[in-house]
Amino acid sequence: MTPARNNMALWHILAIATIAFWGTSFVSTKVLLNHGFTAVQIFTLRFAVTYLILLAASHKKFRCQNWKHEIILFICGITGCTLYFWAENTALSLSPSSNVSLIVCTNPLLTMIFGGILYKAERLGKRQVVGCLITFVGMVLVVLNGKFILKLSPVGDMLAFTSSVMWAIYSLVVRQFNGVYSTLFITRKMFFYGALMSLPALFFEAGGDIHKTFDIPWQNFAEPVVSFNFVCLTVFSSLLGYLAWNKVLKQLGTVLASNYIYAIPLVTIITAVIALGERITPVAIAGAVAIVAGMVMAEMKRGS
């Protein structure tokens, strides 16, 4: 294997590791929800702690080269962090989880469409398009896991679609900083703006009562299971996950890298089987096979 192929293999492995982090995050979030935390509290604390860790690691450069770049990274922070998680978590409270999972995981399709329109370098060949579609079908089978019952919930479903659009916007916008700023700097700025814009969400969740805004069950962190899962969310899903993903987007391209997102439900269901004792059906297994086959096809050399 040539050095170039070795390097590309490294980025594919890193993408898989990132998806593994994100796939298990749903289980960790569920654990925290079951221990008295709200969804908004969880992602606000995640963003704030992640930012502080990044700030400790990188604090020599605070500002972008100009205000235009600062505004663009602000957009990345609110789309890839605050609005994405707010819309997704709110959707989960209004729609069945199967609806939300299916709709949110359409963002690689949106990224493929928008990326092909906006960037010539991101346009896919026929083989890659077919691979992405096969992977999407596999993702649908995994999420449904043998339960082909979908109930429409207009508000929740629209919020889920909004979160999908937010992630696609973040993925396509952040790519323009390739080679301009370090991945560490970009990720730190994103989490700063993500944490900052999560504060209004906390305020509104508290009904506009400033005294209740930070009424967080801090005492629950004394429980090992809570601390462990929060560390998993903060260190692996947020810190390492976003650092790795921003690098993967740069090396593999936004559209092809986003194709890995289809595997998140697969990781989630495997984790749920191990940690929560949930059942996996033959339909989900067939979906897993389709996901792997489609991803392999999509990552092959571009066809005509």
Side-chain angles (χ1 to χ4, degrees):
M1 186 177 289
T2 64
R5 287 197 172 187
N6 276 327
N7 288 335
M8 292 306 293
L10 173 63
W11 301 121
H12 286 293
I13 292 171
L14 195 59
I16 293 170
T18 305
I19 294 307
F21 294 154
W22 288 347
T24 58
S25 70
F26 290 97
V27 175
S28 291
T29 299
K30 188 171 183 178
V31 170
L32 294 183
L33 288 171
N34 291 339
H35 283 78
F37 294 86
T38 68
V40 177
Q41 289 173 344
I42 293 170
F43 69 70
T44 301
L45 289 175
R46 280 177 64 179
F47 298 161
V49 173
T50 301
Y51 171 71
L52 292 175
I53 295 173
L54 289 167
L55 182 63
S58 173
H59 47 265
K60 292 183 178 180
K61 182 179 179 66
F62 279 91
R63 296 181 181 178
C64 294
Q65 295 175 2
N66 53 60
W67 280 107
K68 179 183 176 181
H69 288 182
E70 199 76 44
I71 292 171
I72 292 173
L73 283 177
F74 169 77
I75 293 172
C76 289
I78 62 173
T79 55
C81 293
T82 310
L83 291 179
Y84 171 77
F85 280 100
W86 174 82
E88 181 186 79
N89 290 337
T90 305
L92 283 169
S93 68
L94 298 171
S95 295
S97 58
S98 56
N99 287 38
V100 178
S101 297
L102 284 173
I103 296 171
V104 168
C105 282
T106 60
N107 73 65
L109 280 179
L110 295 177
T111 304
M112 181 175 68
I113 294 169
F114 296 154
I117 294 173
L118 296 174
Y119 304 108
K120 185 176 180 180
E122 296 285 2
R123 292 173 188 170
L124 303 182
K126 292 179 180 178
R127 179 185 296 170
Q128 292 171 307
V129 171
V130 171
C132 289
L133 293 177
I134 291 174
T135 306
F136 175 73
V137 172
M139 181 274 299
V140 171
L141 295 176
V142 168
V143 170
L144 293 178
N145 197 18
K147 300 175 183 177
F148 296 94
I149 301 175
L150 290 177
K151 297 179 181 179
L152 294 179
S153 178
V155 176
D157 294 348
M158 184 57 67
L159 281 170
F161 182 71
T162 299
S163 69
S164 185
V165 172
M166 290 300 102
W167 188 264
I169 291 173
Y170 147 68
S171 298
L172 292 169
V173 171
V174 76
R175 76 186 296 281
Q176 64 186 285
F177 290 121
N178 290 347
V180 180
Y181 302 105
S182 69
T183 302
L184 192 62
F185 177 81
I186 292 171
T187 308
R188 193 195 76 207
K189 295 290 284 188
M190 279 184 57
F191 276 102
F192 170 73
Y193 288 122
L196 184 66
M197 297 310 296
S198 294
L199 295 179
L202 270 181
F203 179 73
F204 286 120
E205 183 182 56
D209 188 336
I210 191 65
H211 298 293
K212 294 182 180 179
T213 299
F214 298 101
D215 189 15
I216 297 171
W218 302 104
Q219 69 279 2
N220 291 351
F221 281 109
E223 299 181 50
V225 67
V226 172
S227 297
F228 173 77
N229 281 280
F230 182 74
V231 168
C232 287
L233 285 174
T234 303
V235 176
F236 294 103
S237 298
S238 294
L239 179 63
L240 298 180
Y242 275 78
L243 279 173
W245 192 249
N246 286 336
K247 196 71 175 178
V248 167
L249 288 174
K250 176 181 178 180
Q251 298 296 330
L252 299 184
T254 305
V255 174
L256 287 183
S258 295
N259 197 45
Y260 277 103
I261 291 175
Y262 285 135
I264 288 179
L266 175 59
V267 176
T268 301
I269 199 170
I270 291 173
T271 305
V273 169
I274 297 172
L276 304 177
E278 295 187 4
R279 189 175 66 92
I280 187 168
T281 67
V283 172
I285 295 174
V289 173
I291 287 175
V292 174
M295 289 175 64
V296 170
M297 182 179 292
E299 301 301 333
M300 286 180 178
K301 186 178 180 180
R302 178 173 303 201
S304 57

